[in-house]
């Protein structure tokens, strides 16, 4: 039954209408109880253990992006701007990770944020807020796949240029390579879905091994800055913002993107064993273990960045560092390793994205939901949701033909959309925690008494990040240098509004409508 709008005073404490005795729990298992409480059918095999699920948070938060995705930070703020941006971004994201981990334990579902919003918002507002969150979540994850695909394509172009410095990179080369790469990733995610858990275990091992190879190689071979240059020298390298503080705020955007996507494993929850415990633990520990590695890569890269002005003439300043430190063969080898890592990251992000798309379609939040939510049991995957993900990246790759700045817009788009979902979901659980805490579901991973403080800081940081992600890299941008994220963002939101009034308003009730102990009436 669809949930009707009522005031929060009429909402009652949580009481799940599912078996809860010890004997029944042993017979059903915690995952079965969780799915029954949420009113969802188990359609996927639970192939992921704690170790294999780690890859879905380790890879999107990959430390390699610290060395790769930094052009904007060096343009707007220089080495010191990049270092201090990471300091506050990592702290801010930490409170978001804690908040998401608790929510994923309360409701371990592939839907993630839009489901949590539906459960934790007031009945009066849950339908529209969860619908908006679902579209935002779909947008951000689709954008992550597109940006990963273009990152990988750009690295292949950089490899070609290392081998042949006279090689001129054309936008259409990169666009076609991006489409080819996402096609390969799509094929693996559909026809290799049963091997995805095994692949993720391999990915994690390679991630760690390649990280140390890259780190040690750069640390040993590169010329070095002094500490003053790294920590205290803020510089404008072409952004031309009138205030250095403003430039640093603009420059921090890639740092935000590099530590995002902690909710990746949440979208695999319906394929994780003992998800209500494993999913939050994976979120937390993957983030905590990545932080020291990220700082190690950050420091090595910044000390090797001896000429920011020259390095920022490259698409990847890292390539300049490698060429300044190694032979052509050495630079080729390290860049090849980075390509392999980005390709693995794209594969992981693609899996999370297709599951999120499937989940939102399952609740009738997207156009053609009946088609998108179909699961092929023999493949253990929602293949049609995968085709949609492939199509989005193809479109974004074609947009790249018009301007390389489109790539930065897609990165910004991922940040603003994901931060919006974080803000809405954390805001809703904070509201419920303050007003009617007894109505929160039981959880195996709880913030306890610190919940209000953690949620409050996480919400504040999400709003802060959302605001800055719309700004362009340059103070007085040409049309080709504009950050068109706001245009794409507004366009997708308009599309969601049209879909809502055409069909979703009568079909979409929000996941809370099927949650046992949550239905109204």
């Amino acid at each position: 039954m669809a949930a009707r709008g009522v005031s929060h005073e009429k909402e009652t404490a949580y009481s799940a209408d599912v078996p809860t005795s010890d004997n029944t729990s042993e017979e059903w298992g915690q995952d079965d109880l969780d799915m029954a409480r949420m009113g969802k059918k188990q359609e996927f095999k639970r192939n992921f253990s704690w170790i294999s699920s780690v890859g879905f948070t380790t890879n999107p938060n990959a430390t390699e992006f610290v060395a790769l995705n930094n052009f904007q930070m060096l343009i707007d703020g220089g080495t010191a701007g990049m270092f201090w941006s990471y300091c506050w971004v990592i702290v801010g994201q930490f409170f978001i990770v804690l908040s998401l981990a608790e929510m994923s334990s309360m409701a371990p579902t592939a839907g993630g944020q839009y489901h949590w919003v539906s459960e934790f918002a007031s009945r009066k507002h849950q339908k529209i807020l969860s619908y908006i969150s679902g579209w935002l979540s779909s947008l951000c994850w689709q954008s992550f796949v597109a940006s990963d695909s273009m990152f990988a394509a750009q690295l292949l172009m950089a490899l070609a240029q290392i081998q042949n410095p006279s090689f001129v990179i054309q936008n259409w080369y990169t666009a076609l390579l991006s489409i080819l790469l996402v096609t390969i990733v799509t094929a693996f995610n559909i026809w290799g879905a049963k091997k995805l858990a095994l692949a993720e275990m391999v990915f994690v091992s390679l991630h760690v091994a390649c990280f140390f190879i890259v780190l040690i190689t750069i640390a040993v071979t590169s010329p070095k800055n002094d500490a003053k240059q790294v920590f205290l020298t803020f510089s404008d390298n072409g952004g031309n913002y009138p205030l250095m503080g403003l430039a640093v705020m603009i420059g921090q955007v890639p740092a935000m993107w590099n530590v995002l996507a902690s909710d990746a494993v949440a979208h695999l929850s319906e394929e994780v064993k003992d998800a209500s415990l494993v999913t939050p633990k994976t979120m937390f520990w993957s983030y905590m273990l990545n932080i020291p590695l990220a700082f190690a890569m950050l420091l090595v890269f910044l000390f090797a960045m001896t000429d920011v002005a020259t390095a920022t003439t490259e698409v990847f300043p890292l390539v300049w560092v490698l060429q300044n430190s190694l032979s052509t063969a050495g630079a080729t080898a390290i860049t090849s390793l980075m390509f392999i890592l980005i390709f693995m990251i794209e594969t992981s992000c693609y899996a999370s994205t297709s599951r999120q798309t499937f989940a939102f379609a399952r609740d009738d939040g997207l156009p053609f939901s009946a088609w998108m939510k179909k699961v092929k049991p023999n493949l253990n995957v929602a293949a049609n949701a995968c085709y949609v993900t492939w199509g989005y990246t193809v479109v974004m790759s074609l947009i790249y033909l018009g301007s390389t700045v489109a790539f930065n817009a897609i990165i910004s788009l991922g940040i603003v959309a994901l931060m919006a979902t974080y803000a809405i979901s954390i805001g809703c659980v904070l509201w419920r925690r303050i007003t009617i805490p007894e109505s929160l579901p039981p959880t195996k991973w709880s913030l306890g008494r610190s919940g209000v403080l953690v949620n409050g800081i996480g919400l504040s940081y999400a709003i802060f990040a959302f605001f800055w992600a719309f700004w362009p890299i340059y103070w007085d941008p040409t049309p080709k240098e504009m950050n068109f994220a706001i245009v794409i963002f507004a366009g997708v939101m308009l599309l969601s509004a049209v879909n809502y009034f055409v069909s979703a308003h009568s079909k979409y009730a929000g996941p809370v409508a099927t949650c046992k102990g949550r239905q109204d009436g």
Side-chain angles (χ1 to χ4, degrees):
M1 180 183 297
R4 296 192 299 271
V6 295
S7 65
H8 75 265
E9 288 83 7
K10 294 182 180 179
E11 297 188 55
T12 57
Y14 165 81
S15 59
D17 186 20
V18 294
T20 55
S21 69
D22 292 339
N23 292 336
T24 306
S25 294
E26 290 178 6
E27 178 183 347
W28 278 44
Q30 185 60 50
D31 292 321
D32 297 320
L33 291 170
D34 288 333
M35 292 296 282
R37 183 191 75 77
M38 294 184 292
K40 301 300 182 187
K41 177 184 177 183
Q42 181 68 50
E43 298 189 72
F44 301 104
K45 294 180 181 178
R46 292 186 179 269
N47 294 328
F48 290 89
S49 61
W50 185 85
I51 296 176
S52 55
S53 64
V54 164
F56 283 98
T57 303
T58 300
N59 275 331
N61 284 334
T63 51
E64 287 76 15
F65 277 126
V66 173
L68 281 174
N69 184 26
N70 47 47
F71 178 84
Q72 183 172 345
M73 284 184 281
L74 293 174
I75 290 288
D76 296 316
T79 53
M82 182 173 172
F83 175 79
W84 293 107
S85 290
Y86 269 105
C87 290
W88 64 67
V89 162
I90 285 172
V91 172
Q93 186 67 20
F94 173 69
F95 290 95
I96 287 179
V97 171
L98 292 178
S99 299
L100 297 177
E102 185 186 48
M103 287 188 282
S104 72
S105 184
M106 293 177 183
T109 167
Q113 289 93 308
Y114 87 87
H115 179 105
W116 303 333
V117 168
S118 183
E119 280 213 52
F120 304 141
S122 68
R123 297 294 173 85
K124 181 178 180 180
H125 301 109
Q126 72 82 20
K127 181 176 177 179
I128 188 63
L129 287 177
S130 64
Y131 178 78
I132 292 171
S133 296
W135 271 85
L136 289 169
S137 190
S138 299
L139 174 61
C140 72
W141 278 101
Q142 295 290 344
S143 297
F144 284 151
V145 173
S147 54
D148 286 343
S149 188
M150 277 188 270
F151 256 123
Q154 287 178 330
L155 274 173
L156 286 177
M157 290 291 95
L159 273 171
Q161 210 163 49
I162 290 171
Q163 290 295 313
N164 180 11
S166 63
F167 175 70
V168 179
I169 299 174
Q170 303 291 337
N171 284 8
W172 68 270
Y173 297 167
T174 306
L176 288 180
L177 268 176
S178 175
I179 293 171
L180 173 62
L181 291 170
V182 78
T183 301
I184 295 171
V185 170
T186 300
F188 177 78
N189 268 273
I190 293 176
W191 290 282
K194 292 181 179 179
K195 301 296 182 182
L196 191 58
L198 176 62
E200 286 299 326
M201 296 177 70
V202 174
F203 289 175
V204 172
S205 301
L206 285 174
H207 170 88
V208 175
C210 291
F211 165 81
F212 282 107
I213 292 172
V214 174
L215 183 79
I216 293 170
T217 300
I218 297 176
V220 171
T221 62
S222 64
K224 303 295 188 296
N225 276 322
D226 58 32
K228 181 180 179 181
Q229 175 68 31
V230 171
F231 300 119
L232 299 177
T233 304
F234 296 87
S235 60
D236 183 326
N237 298 288
N240 297 321
Y241 275 87
L243 299 173
M244 184 54 67
L246 180 59
V248 172
M249 290 295 100
I250 308 304
Q252 70 181 322
V253 170
M256 294 173 178
W257 191 86
N258 293 345
V259 302
L260 275 178
S262 298
D263 55 309
V265 68
H267 302 299
L268 270 290
S269 290
E270 294 175 29
E271 298 170 60
V272 175
K273 298 172 185 175
D274 196 14
S276 60
L277 181 60
V278 170
T279 298
K281 284 176 62 179
T282 299
M283 276 192 201
F284 177 78
W285 285 111
S286 293
Y287 189 78
M288 294 302 293
L289 294 174
N290 259 328
I291 297 311
L293 299 181
F295 261 100
M297 181 66 79
L298 175 65
L299 291 173
V300 166
F301 175 81
L302 290 178
F303 273 98
M305 185 53 57
T306 55
D307 188 347
V308 176
T310 302
T312 49
T313 61
E314 300 280 351
V315 174
F316 294 111
L318 174 66
V319 172
W320 178 87
V321 170
L322 296 176
Q323 291 178 316
N324 197 41
S325 309
L326 302 168
S327 64
T328 299
T332 300
I334 297 299
T335 306
S336 298
L337 284 179
M338 300 298 276
F339 166 75
I340 292 170
L341 291 170
I342 299 305
F343 184 79
M344 294 189 304
I345 292 166
E346 182 183 357
T347 303
S348 300
C349 280
Y350 191 105
S352 294
T353 301
S354 62
R355 270 61 169 186
Q356 190 282 330
T357 303
F358 152 80
F360 195 39
R362 178 175 60 185
D363 284 312
D364 296 315
L366 292 169
F368 312 108
S369 288
W371 176 76
M372 266 191 271
K373 65 185 176 183
K374 288 182 179 178
V375 175
K376 293 185 180 294
N378 59 319
L379 296 175
N380 194 44
V381 69
N384 294 341
C386 291
Y387 298 142
V388 171
T389 302
W390 174 85
Y392 183 92
T393 297
V394 169
V395 172
M396 291 297 105
S397 298
L398 294 177
I399 290 176
Y400 184 85
L401 288 172
S403 170
T404 54
V405 179
F407 178 69
N408 297 72
I410 293 168
I411 288 178
S412 296
L413 189 64
I415 295 171
V416 297
L418 192 56
M419 285 300 178
T421 70
Y422 289 165
I424 296 172
S425 58
I426 295 173
C428 288
V429 77
L430 177 60
W431 170 83
R432 188 166 289 273
R433 173 169 264 126
I434 293 173
T435 57
I436 36 178
E438 67 277 5
S439 68
L440 287 171
T443 176
K444 289 186 175 182
W445 203 96
S446 173
L447 295 176
R449 295 180 179 178
S450 61
V452 171
L453 177 63
V454 170
N455 292 159
I457 296 174
L459 174 60
S460 300
Y461 172 71
I463 295 170
F464 168 82
F466 178 87
F467 172 78
W468 291 111
F470 283 114
W471 290 63
I473 297 176
Y474 305 101
W475 170 247
D476 187 20
T478 65
K480 284 190 175 183
E481 294 169 344
M482 269 299 295
N483 184 346
F484 287 102
I486 192 168
V487 177
I488 303 174
F489 182 82
V492 173
M493 289 298 97
L494 178 61
L495 178 62
S496 72
V498 171
N499 180 64
Y500 185 82
F501 287 109
V502 170
S503 62
H505 75 282
S506 59
K507 296 180 180 179
Y508 184 80
V512 74
T514 61
C515 289
K516 303 292 174 62
R518 293 288 194 178
Q519 301 102 323
D520 170 43

